[in-house]
Amino acid sequence: MAFRRYDTSAGGTPPESRETPAPGPVDPVGLKDPGTDGQARDSPGDHDTDRREPVEGRAGAGRPAVARWVFPAAVAAFAALCLSLVIWDGRMPAARGPDAPADTFSAARATAHVREIAAAPRPSGSAAHTQAREYLVRTLTALGIDTRVHTGAAAAHRPDLSPTGADSRYAGLRLENVVARIPGTASTRPVALVTHYDSTEAGPGANDAGVPVSVLLETARALRTGPPPRNDVLFVFTDAEESGLLGAQSLVNTPGVLPSDAVILNFEARGSRGPSLMFEAGPDTAWLVKTLAGEVPGARTDSLLDAAYDYMPNLTDFTVFQEAGHQGLNLAYLDGYTHYHGATDTPEQVDPATVQHQGGQALGLARALGSADLARTPAGDSAYFQAAGFFVSYPLGAALPAALAAAGLGLVLLLRLRARGQLSIGGVCRGFLVALGQLLLAAGAAFALAPLTASGHVEFDHYYDIGGHGPALAGFLALTLAVGSTLALLVRRWAGPREQVAGAALLWILLSCVSAVALPGGSHVFIWPALGLLAAAAVLTSRAGTTVRGRVLAAALGTVPAALLVFPLLPLLTDALGLGLVAAPVAVAALLTALLPGVLPGLPRLLPVTAAVVAVAVLAGTALLPPERERHLRADLAYLWDADRRTAHWLSGAPSDDWSDRFLPADAEPGSVTDLWPGWRVPVRRGPAEEYPLPGPRITTEVLGGSEAGGRRVRVTAVSERGARELVIVVSGAAVRGWSVSGVPGEFADDPPGDAAWELWVRQVPERGTELELDLAPGPATVRVIDRTPGLPGPAAGGPDGTRAPALGIASVGEATLVATARTLQ
């Protein structure tokens, strides 16, 4: 590290005005800027003196000049050690074969279930969905486990799940959840292992959620081979998770099916490989997280995941259980995102090591919680992380005091070094701007170059990621080093190395304080590295910093916390966000590269050139690699027939490709379709279609009377003339204040703001149709009913290379207008 000796504008005293220089430690790595007389220089651009050997390396100092390399060598050694530990801790377990001991989890036995369940797409209500449910019941019953199918209905308001981006609600009129129970010997509280057994229509859902379903089946088998658990253990397979979390909603709405105090362990998949991570915990679950980390081998978790997930639009069944007051954990694997919700999510894409890892967690948690006394569990939440094989946990409320401690230590160091004339406030501010500039430039370059790097990968247009993004991440990290070192060298005359390091430390401190307030569960990523950096600076600026041991200690303090917390974060962020948002891990890496001037005695001028050459070679290689063979992408095309206006349209939310261009103009730009479907906010490409006339839905309306707020109550009856099992009802022109569908009440507040359309997706509609009762605000209202079936008409029927139909498929639209008058309301 290098800090400025003094600054006259900040009150420092020039050396010629001093009678006797103040005693102080000898500079280990350029913390002082020795001049020809052994005193400090005043210029902030003393880059030449920065390259001189330290005082102790001169004649009479008693130590060779090579000692100046002790600190950077120690930093490199500790960084390599930490990287090795991160890689070692990140190993995936070996998948166990079919001959594994009966009381253990076997990936081979579990994947056999995947092949049975994921033979075809199984959206809720489909024939494949029914076959999957029957397979679950048959398998669990054969294990001697009491298994029941609970049928119910539910409605939910889930705008975040809308395929159209509208203010959407969902209703399922026949939901079938499978619940199996292994009774406990003296149950103190039930434990429920949960996943969903439906899939999207876009693919067979081998990973989402064929693997979690198979994990639970194999866990139930292994649990049955040992002694019975103390607590009741439930295995719950929910319906219609992909259709609005409706199966879970039905469970919590139906008394007696799922115990209200059950601990929920929800298992999910958002990719096709990688470790299973505990990424979400409910309130007052510090005890549960400790159980996971302490009792389950291979458990992986970090409170940063939980804290960040709160800001993301993703939802799982665990959301419903949390809203109902259940405690629990949510676990999923994230890597291999380009197979998610697509035609390639097949059994061939299942990674046995991932199955083994998630299965080990499921069985470990089932046994640990199944045998524990859960009658009284302590309250409280915690910040937690894993480093070098150790689990660290502390109360969440300690995050802010720890951040303030880092800020206080930084202030003490600043005042101390300013009093010595080694640092100025102006210099720290200049260094801060350099560090912030490095971060912004590197992140901006990565964001701009990511689409170019992925230009040869067609999956990027659909997923904003590519199949194997590891090499690309390495290239962007090299780019980060090139950008950071180049900027550091260019501004040395304006902000010397000591100012740059001090400014970078200030950036770490600010991020610590901000995250402790806004993201306390993730603040440890900044707080502990900041404390380590400041502790290292304190050692280096003391007399201990003149010794080899002191330098090695400083290297450990400054390197180990940052490396152990940041190194594993880089691939994790890339897996979670995809290559399209690689700017996020690049920004984190830039926080480390900003510290380089304090590690190297003189920043080598070849470093930015070498890093840039590596970055260009790796990123160009990624861009020029041929696309994966046999990669089938989802056929994103919908046929919409407006039965009232007698017009047909093709719609696609995907970029132009060879197949969709057969139906849509290649130059069609994404735009609005609110004239066809009010409330649809997602821009899509559209074009005229050949007419394949479909009978529109039959709609009847009836005004039931006035409402207390001056509006009116209306009944809308909708029937699909072509037997569609799914209806979408859109109300525009008047706000909806309350509603129910076929006797199922709406669960959440309505009345969308402004002139937003109100939208309801109804699944499992019987042949006789459905009745929707609305409490409408005053004024005219238009009701549009869309009935929907999967598949595409005419030449689009097969889809490209056998891919499945899109989420919307064939739809026909019918419309009715309701006009409220004073006479009507009397």
Side-chain angles (χ1 to χ4, degrees), residues 111-129:
T111 51
H113 296 305
V114 176
R115 289 188 290 271
E116 292 289 336
I117 294 168
R122 52 187 189 285
S124 181
S126 66
H129 176 257

Side-chain angles (χ1 to χ4, degrees), residues 125-495:
S126 66
H129 176 257
T130 300
Q131 292 170 5
R133 180 174 63 255
E134 292 172 349
Y135 180 83
L136 292 177
V137 174
R138 187 166 61 250
T139 303
L140 291 165
T141 302
L143 293 173
I145 303 175
D146 179 33
T147 304
R148 301 183 183 182
V149 177
H150 295 271
T151 302
H157 185 194
R158 303 290 178 189
D160 289 338
L161 298 178
S162 173
T164 64
D167 185 49
S168 298
R169 293 138 197 84
Y170 299 89
L173 302 184
R174 183 177 176 83
L175 303 166
E176 296 177 288
N177 298 303
V178 179
V179 180
R181 174 176 171 267
I182 298 178
T185 57
S187 187
T188 60
R189 188 177 177 186
V191 178
L193 284 73
V194 182
T195 191
H196 66 94
Y197 71 97
D198 63 313
S199 78
T200 67
E201 294 172 340
N207 285 283
D208 181 26
V211 165
V213 166
S214 303
V215 161
L216 264 59
L217 291 177
E218 171 64 4
T219 298
R221 185 210 57 77
L223 200 62
R224 287 287 289 171
T225 62
R230 175 182 185 177
N231 299 316
D232 292 348
V233 178
L234 308 178
F235 293 88
V236 180
F237 304 87
T238 64
D239 192 0
E241 190 266 357
E242 302 288 3
S243 304
L245 318 180
L246 295 173
Q249 192 70 56
S250 174
L251 280 176
V252 300
N253 289 349
T254 307
V257 178
L258 182 69
S260 59
D261 61 342
V263 178
I264 302 296
L265 305 173
N266 190 62
F267 294 86
E268 266 287 2
R270 201 227 58 171
S272 61
R273 60 179 180 267
S276 179
L277 308 170
M278 196 287 285
F279 67 95
E280 185 182 16
D284 292 323
T285 50
W287 66 274
L288 192 50
V289 175
K290 288 182 179 179
T291 301
L292 170 70
E295 301 292 335
V296 180
R300 300 190 190 180
T301 186
D302 193 307
S303 56
L304 171 64
L305 299 173
D306 193 2
Y309 188 75
D310 286 341
Y311 291 89
M312 301 182 72
N314 310 78
L315 299 175
T316 70
D317 279 338
F318 191 68
T319 303
V320 176
F321 297 121
Q322 279 202 90
E323 292 171 348
H326 288 275
Q327 289 184 311
L329 305 174
N330 206 1
L331 303 95
Y333 52 94
L334 309 177
D335 199 4
Y337 177 59
T338 54
H339 298 291
Y340 178 67
H341 281 188
T344 58
D345 189 9
T346 62
E348 291 72 28
Q349 296 299 333
V350 170
D351 184 355
T354 295
V355 178
Q356 187 68 46
H357 191 238
Q358 189 170 82
Q361 293 173 330
L363 183 57
L365 282 168
R367 284 185 170 146
L369 296 175
S371 62
D373 183 357
L374 304 179
R376 294 181 180 85
T377 54
D381 296 311
S382 61
Y384 49 88
F385 57 91
Q386 293 166 304
F390 294 95
F391 176 73
V392 181
S393 174
Y394 52 89
L396 198 60
L400 184 57
L404 294 176
L409 179 56
L411 180 61
V412 169
L413 274 172
L414 172 61
L415 295 176
R416 173 183 171 187
L417 296 174
R418 183 174 182 272
R420 291 182 182 178
Q422 295 175 338
L423 199 61
S424 71
I425 294 177
V428 174
C429 292
R430 290 193 295 272
F432 174 82
L433 292 176
V434 173
L436 184 60
Q438 290 175 333
L439 186 153
L440 295 177
L441 284 174
F447 184 79
L449 290 175
L452 180 62
T453 301
S455 59
H457 301 261
V458 66
E459 69 270 25
F460 184 82
D461 292 334
H462 294 258
Y463 294 96
Y464 299 101
D465 199 6
I466 63 177
H469 53 225
L473 173 61
F476 280 114
L477 293 180
L479 175 67
T480 306
L481 179 59
V483 170
S485 56
T486 299
L487 185 60
L489 285 171
L490 290 176
V491 301
R492 281 176 71 111
R493 291 188 176 275
W494 182 66

Side-chain angles (χ1 to χ4, degrees), residues 563-642:
L564 289 181
L565 289 174
V566 173
F567 284 178
L569 188 58
L570 302 179
L572 176 61
L573 284 174
T574 311
D575 291 344
L577 302 176
L579 191 63
L581 292 178
V582 73
V586 161
V588 174
L591 293 173
L592 295 180
T593 59
L595 299 166
L596 278 178
V599 176
L600 299 175
L603 202 60
R605 296 184 182 276
L606 285 178
L607 179 60
V609 176
T610 304
V613 169
V614 172
V616 170
V618 174
L619 295 179
T622 302
L624 296 175
L625 283 176
E628 294 183 37
R629 293 183 178 181
E630 302 300 327
R631 172 170 288 282
H632 305 304
L633 293 175
R634 170 175 166 177
D636 195 337
L637 190 67
Y639 177 80
L640 186 68
W641 169 255
D642 190 327

Side-chain angles (χ1 to χ4, degrees), residues 43 61 204 271 516:
S43 170

Side-chain angles (χ1 to χ4, degrees), residues 25-26 28 56 63 416 536 538-554:
V26 181
E56 65 173 351
R63 294 188 185 276
R416 173 183 171 187
V539 172
L540 290 175
T541 56
S542 68
R543 293 192 177 277
T546 64
T547 67
V548 171
R549 290 182 180 178
R551 296 174 193 177
V552 173
L553 174 62

